[in-house]
Every structure is written in C-alpha cells, then in structure tokens.
C-alpha cells in the first residue's frame, strides 16, 4: 500500500514522534510512503527523509492508495480541503493517527467545563499559542460567557526563542515557522462562536500580556517552545483560581522537547504537580 503524508511539521518530521511509532506498529512493512505534501508553499520542492514534498495540487494527478494526515491541530481542515477543493475521495484520507488525541483533548475540555459550571467556579479562560484558532474555538464554545484571552505572535516562531531552541537542542525550527495565511487575528476571530468575548493580544509573550490582571479558571499553553512555555507558566500560575487547570500541550512531543523541560523546571521550583490527560501529548497542571 502506498501513501502520501500530509504535513511536514514536528509530528511528521520526527521519527521518534507518537505519530511514527503508531504508524510503524499498524502499517509495518506493508505501507510505503512515496511523498510528503504541505499547504505551505515554502516546503514544496524540498525533501523529508529523502522523499519529495509536493504541492497539494499535485495530489490530483499522483498515484497513491491513501493520504495520511500528520497534523494534530489541522487534521479536520486538511480533510475538508482534500475532499471539497481537491476532489479526493474521503475514504482515501486517513486522519486516525492524529485525530484520536485531539478528540481526547476536546473531551477533557468539555468535561472540565461541566465541572466548572456545576461548581460555579469563576474565572476567565486563555490560550497561549493560537495559530489558526482551532482549539481556541473549542474553549470559546465550552466557556461561552467567559472572557477569552488569546496570545500569539501571528508571525510564527520568534527568533529570540528559536535561537535558544537550537542552542539547547530542544528543536530545530527557524524563526517564522507556523506563520500561516490562515493564522491571523481576523481569521481566528471569524472562527469563534462568541467572538465578542475574545481579547486577542498579538505580539511576543509575555510582553503581549501587558497589564492583564484577571483571574483564570482554564489556560491552554501551546507555545511549542521552552521560553514562552516557561513564561506562560510563570505568568498565569499566580492568576489561577482554586480548581483551575493549566493545560500544557506538546509535553510528550519529542519534536518540542523544550516544553517538557520548561514544565519540569517550573514544577520543581514551585513544588507543583501535573498529570496526563490521556491524549498522549498533553498534561494538566492542577491548581
């Protein structure tokens, strides 16, 4: 069976990732990867593991048995794009290697929101590292009456962070990684079911937090990198209400190893504890 991998981010380019381990366990020697593809034009014509990265438009003419989606956050968007824009049969698109973790995280958020409302716990909500706003939409949906703070550069990774990442061997991404045409303040606001509740802060975190002095019941940290993750923990922890949760994404992602190091350093310093939520990628810091 031949396949094309859709996505060339940390999930797809790190052979130690959960994605590859699961793929190898289930696909084994019967699966042959023939190419990669990605929505970002800058990757077209490059190679990943000596395999070509092609434009998604080429998927219309190439021969393959299925497309395996390797983007945890955007798998549903990619699937709809392949079906509705490229005309690829839905049965040829496999999102199973990434969708299960997202579904688990969404359920965690839904169930935690139920507890918050049942116990009448006050507090605003926030996300650091918004990208296209896919999880921000879920936060806004499950906390419809809460102020939602969204922090992102909307310009991809900042050079101040990527330089440290490379020096420490945490990750190898360049400044500007994850700068997407679909990841803008305007685009994110349009995805939200209750946009009037959102306060979007564009810029380098924690500078972008400015004079924010609210209280929080739920925060999702998805900065991917050591510096902003540690800054997010230090900034939000004193502002959390009792019973609140800080969710830290990519803790189990070896492609972003700085996230785990930042959280472990923070917990040792503040005598704090965290626990996995079952999505194989995130942990929850309990307050």
């Amino acid at each position: 069976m031949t396949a094309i991998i859709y996505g060339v981010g940390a999930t797809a380019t790190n052979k130690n990732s959960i994605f590859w381990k699961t793929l190898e366990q289930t696909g084994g020697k019967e699966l042959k990867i023939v190419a990669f593809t990605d929505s970002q034009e800058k990757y077209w014509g490059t190679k990943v593991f000596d395999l070509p990265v092609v434009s998604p438009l080429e998927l219309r003419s190439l021969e393959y048995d299925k497309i395996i989606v390797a983007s945890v956050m955007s798998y549903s968007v990619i699937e709809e794009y392949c079906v509705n824009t490229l005309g690829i049969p839905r049965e040829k698109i496999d999102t199973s290697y990434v969708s299960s973790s997202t579904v688990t995280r969404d359920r965690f958020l839904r169930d935690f929101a139920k507890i918050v409302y049942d116990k009448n716990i006050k507090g605003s909500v926030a996300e650091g590292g918004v990208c296209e706003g896919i999880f921000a939409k879920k936060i806004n949906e499950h906390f419809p009456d809460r102020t939602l703070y969204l922090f992102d550069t909307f310009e991809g990774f900042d050079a101040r962070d990527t330089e440290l990442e490379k020096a420490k061997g945490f990750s190898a991404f360049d400044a500007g990684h994850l700068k997407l045409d679909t990841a803008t303040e305007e685009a994110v606001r349009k995805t939200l079911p209750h946009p009037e509740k959102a306060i979007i802060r564009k810029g380098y975190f924690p500078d972008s937090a400015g004079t924010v002095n609210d209280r929080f019941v739920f925060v999702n940290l998805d900065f991917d990198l050591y510096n902003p993750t540690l800054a997010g923990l230090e900034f939000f922890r004193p502002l959390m209400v009792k019973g609140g949760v800080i969710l830290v994404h990519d803790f189990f992602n070896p492609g972003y190893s700085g996230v785990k190091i930042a959280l472990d350093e923070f917990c040792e310093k503040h005598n704090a504890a965290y626990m996995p939520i079952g999505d194989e990628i995130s942990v929850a810091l309990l307050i």
Side-chain angles (χ1 to χ4, degrees):
M1 178 179 290
T2 58
I4 293 178
I5 304 292
Y6 200 123
V8 295
T11 299
T13 58
N14 190 313
K15 276 297 184 77
N16 292 319
S17 69
I18 296 171
F19 167 80
W20 279 107
K21 290 179 180 178
T22 306
L23 190 62
E24 290 169 358
Q25 290 172 356
T26 57
K29 297 179 179 180
E30 298 178 0
L31 184 66
K32 181 180 180 181
I33 309 300
V34 296
F36 286 76
T37 187
D38 196 275
S39 301
Q40 297 188 67
E41 185 176 353
K42 65 181 181 180
Y43 295 119
W44 304 347
T46 64
K47 287 189 175 184
V48 173
F49 306 133
D50 289 327
L51 294 173
V53 180
V54 302
S55 162
L57 296 178
E58 295 185 53
L59 298 178
R60 292 169 169 167
S61 57
L62 293 175
E63 292 186 4
Y64 50 88
D65 294 309
K66 65 178 180 178
I67 295 170
I68 299 176
V69 180
S71 173
V72 175
M73 292 303 299
S74 302
Y75 73 89
S76 59
V77 175
I78 291 172
E79 181 178 14
E80 294 308 311
Y81 170 72
C82 288
V83 173
N84 299 324
T85 302
L86 301 180
I88 298 170
R90 194 178 296 273
E91 58 268 21
K92 294 188 70 170
I93 304 166
D94 188 351
T95 65
S96 64
Y97 296 98
V98 289
S99 60
S100 60
S101 65
T102 301
V103 169
T104 301
R105 188 169 65 144
D106 290 350
R107 288 173 178 168
F108 172 87
L109 178 65
R110 177 199 64 192
D111 293 345
F112 177 68
K114 289 179 181 178
I115 294 173
V116 168
Y117 284 104
D118 286 346
K119 293 182 176 295
N120 195 28
I121 305 175
K122 305 299 181 182
S124 295
V125 292
E127 180 172 50
V130 180
C131 199
E132 297 172 297
I134 295 172
F135 195 60
K137 178 181 178 181
K138 294 290 185 179
I139 300 173
N140 194 221
E141 175 185 334
H142 292 300
F143 293 94
D145 63 335
R146 306 299 176 94
T147 300
L148 170 62
Y149 293 84
L150 298 175
F151 301 92
D152 202 294
T153 65
F154 295 105
E155 298 291 339
F157 291 170
D158 189 281
R160 286 168 284 187
D161 298 328
T162 56
E163 289 175 4
L164 175 67
E165 293 282 314
K166 292 179 180 179
K168 297 290 187 179
F170 296 156
S171 67
F173 296 100
D174 295 324
H177 178 66
L178 292 182
K179 176 177 170 57
L180 308 173
D181 293 338
T182 52
T184 66
E185 296 171 84
E186 297 76 13
V188 167
R189 191 175 292 278
K190 288 179 180 179
T191 70
L192 301 177
H194 308 284
E196 72 282 357
K197 303 302 294 184
I199 298 175
I200 301 179
R201 295 292 188 89
K202 178 179 179 179
Y204 184 73
F205 191 88
D207 299 345
S208 58
T211 58
V212 171
N213 189 29
D214 207 338
R215 300 287 286 172
F216 295 88
V217 68
F218 178 79
V219 174
N220 180 53
L221 296 182
D222 194 6
F223 285 123
D224 300 332
L225 309 175
Y226 172 87
N227 263 342
T229 298
L230 186 58
L233 291 166
E234 294 286 1
F235 177 80
F236 283 109
R237 176 60 182 83
L239 301 178
M240 299 297 294
V241 301
K242 184 178 180 180
V245 163
I246 298 178
L247 196 63
V248 181
H249 195 246
D250 285 314
F251 178 87
F252 292 109
N253 188 344
Y256 294 125
S257 62
V259 173
K260 180 181 186 302
I261 293 171
L263 181 57
D264 283 339
E265 288 182 3
F266 176 85
C267 288
E268 183 176 355
K269 176 181 177 182
H270 296 281
N271 192 29
Y274 55 80
M275 63 183 296
I277 67 167
D279 68 344
E280 299 184 316
I281 198 167
S282 308
V283 295
L285 181 68
L286 306 179
I287 309 302

